[in-house]
Amino acid sequence: MTPRASVTVLRPGMMASVQDMGRHGHRHLGICPGGALDTLALVLANRLVGNADGAAGLELTMGACELRFETATRIAIAGDDFDACLDGVPLWPCWSVPVVAGQTLKLGRANRSKAKNGLRTWLAVAGGIDVPVILGSRSTDLKAGFGGHEGRALKAGDQLMLGSPALNAAQLAQRPFGLRMPAWSFDPRDEAIVLRVMPGPEFEQFTIASRDLLWREPWRITPQSNRMGSRLEGPELKRKRSADMLSSAVIPGTIQVPPSGQPIILMGDAQTTGGYPRIGVVIRADLWKLAQAPLNGRLRLQQVDAAEALAAWDGQRRYLSQVAQGLVFAGWPAQNSTKGVATHAD
């Protein structure tokens, strides 16, 4: 019997986990959507290896990861490159690369002067990571301890099974090729990352001065940030008057302001309800930026309206449509649509 294709984790890095597009439709049970924090990156990596948009890949945090491929396959990363090398040969983001059995992928920070200092990258392998589907998803819920590989972050010695690839042997072995990154991609070495934000339900509860500070002043992403939320440091945001609130629904991108006055931008593993005032929400077309933004990096929040948010989302979908068309022209399997990018709507 032919052994199943697999990947062996030699070194997992700080926080590596199996993630797909998320576990949607269960908010009423208090189950967060989770999934890849940058669904755009996962979709791009998956398409480059012939997978469906929602195939499970690996979310790798801060590099320092080492994986060995036990079978011939094809891989792609999207996000920070973390000085990635396949048997010593550099592997660039958004490139589709063949792998032979026994090759090792290493992600690290060997040359920190050239590193982009991002926080995460996403790895797709032809066929996807084959772990059990729980509540419609293969994602790891790290907080609740289920899904993914044994409901936890990866550790050295883990062996991850692969699904059957959509690519044939000739396609798997095809020479490397890459995608042109979108014009709206960013380099976290720049002065500040701009996130477009719509005012939230409790926006008017804050003082005029605080509302002005929200847009005018830069914010720092503190090291206390994680998959639940990015904690920001900056000027104190004050409400007109202190008052208790009933818990209300929150989604990834919601900006809550606790009594400290320092905002928290919720992410995929955040709770489904919260009792802090919601001063704004990051538009879904920009959530990928926050997922890749480095710790201690600077943000600027830019106010937009619903029309601008929809236009930004349409721009992202057009880019993905162009990617799909280009890959079909190159002989890759066709994707039905761009709706695979998570909408975070249950």
Side-chain angles (χ1 to χ4, degrees):
M1 184 176 179
T2 304
R4 291 185 64 195
S6 65
V7 178
T8 301
V9 179
L10 303 178
R11 188 170 53 134
M14 180 172 290
M15 181 64 70
S17 62
V18 177
Q19 301 293 344
D20 60 14
M21 302 300 284
R23 188 169 281 109
H24 302 279
H26 307 288
R27 287 184 179 277
H28 62 293
L29 301 175
I31 298 174
C32 67
L37 295 184
D38 182 350
T39 54
L40 175 62
L42 181 60
V43 166
L44 290 175
N46 270 329
R47 291 187 178 186
L48 282 165
V49 297
N51 292 345
D53 288 352
L58 298 183
E59 182 174 284
L60 308 173
T61 304
M62 298 183 73
C65 178
E66 188 172 344
L67 306 168
R68 184 176 64 236
F69 300 93
E70 308 298 351
T71 187
T73 185
R74 197 169 187 93
I75 63 173
I77 61 172
D80 195 306
D81 60 28
F82 289 112
D83 304 313
C85 289
L86 184 64
D87 276 1
V89 178
L91 176 63
W92 307 112
C94 285
W95 274 74
S96 178
V97 177
V99 173
V100 299
Q103 283 194 294
T104 299
L105 173 68
K106 293 184 180 180
L107 287 81
R109 285 299 189 194
N111 190 341
R112 293 181 180 271
S113 64
K114 292 184 180 179
K116 293 192 294 184
N117 298 320
L119 188 61
R120 299 180 178 91
T121 199
W122 288 262
L123 171 71
V125 186
I129 306 298
D130 188 11
V131 294
V133 175
I134 299 177
L135 295 177
S137 172
R138 289 184 167 88
S139 285
T140 312
D141 190 321
L142 295 166
K143 182 174 56 175
F146 70 89
H149 182 72
E150 300 180 0
R152 57 168 171 79
L154 301 180
K155 61 184 181 182
D158 284 342
Q159 191 169 41
L160 305 173
M161 298 297 109
L162 301 178
S164 299
L167 303 179
N168 59 37
Q171 290 171 321
L172 288 174
Q174 185 175 316
R175 64 185 180 86
F177 66 88
L179 291 176
R180 178 179 297 176
M181 293 297 291
W184 30 263
S185 62
F186 76 99
D187 186 334
R189 290 172 297 186
D190 292 342
E191 283 296 311
I193 297 165
V194 177
L195 297 180
R196 290 166 289 188
V197 174
M198 291 180 60
E202 286 77 51
F203 181 76
E204 297 295 334
Q205 292 186 13
F206 289 83
T207 65
I208 293 175
S210 292
R211 284 180 260 162
D212 180 61
L213 290 170
L214 181 69
W215 312 123
R216 180 164 52 85
E217 295 298 317
W219 300 91
R220 183 178 72 90
I221 304 173
T222 74
Q224 288 70 45
S225 303
N226 53 33
R227 279 184 52 91
M228 292 183 66
S230 292
R231 293 180 176 270
L232 307 186
E233 182 181 81
E236 182 181 358
L237 300 180
K238 298 179 179 179
R239 297 168 71 188
K240 295 174 182 176
R241 59 181 179 275
S242 178
D244 291 336
M245 285 182 52
L246 295 175
S247 291
S248 303
V250 293
I251 60 173
T254 297
I255 306 175
Q256 290 188 305
V257 183
S260 66
Q262 300 297 286
I264 303 170
I265 307 179
L266 302 184
M267 302 186 76
D269 280 2
Q271 71 279 9
T272 57
T273 63
Y276 295 142
R278 300 159 295 179
I279 196 170
V281 60
V282 178
I283 67 172
R284 63 184 181 182
D286 280 3
L287 285 175
W288 67 275
K289 297 182 186 179
L290 187 60
Q292 295 190 34
L295 299 178
N296 291 313
R298 293 204 306 156
L299 299 176
R300 286 193 177 273
L301 306 180
Q302 176 184 323
Q303 184 176 2
V304 295
D305 58 23
E308 292 170 300
L310 289 171
W313 185 244
D314 286 343
Q316 191 175 110
R317 289 171 63 86
R318 283 195 301 273
Y319 167 72
L320 288 173
S321 293
Q322 293 168 0
V323 167
Q325 292 168 8
L327 290 174
V328 169
F329 182 78
W332 250 226
Q335 295 288 337
N336 292 330
S337 70
T338 59
K339 66 181 180 181
V341 180
T343 63
H344 303 296
D346 288 341

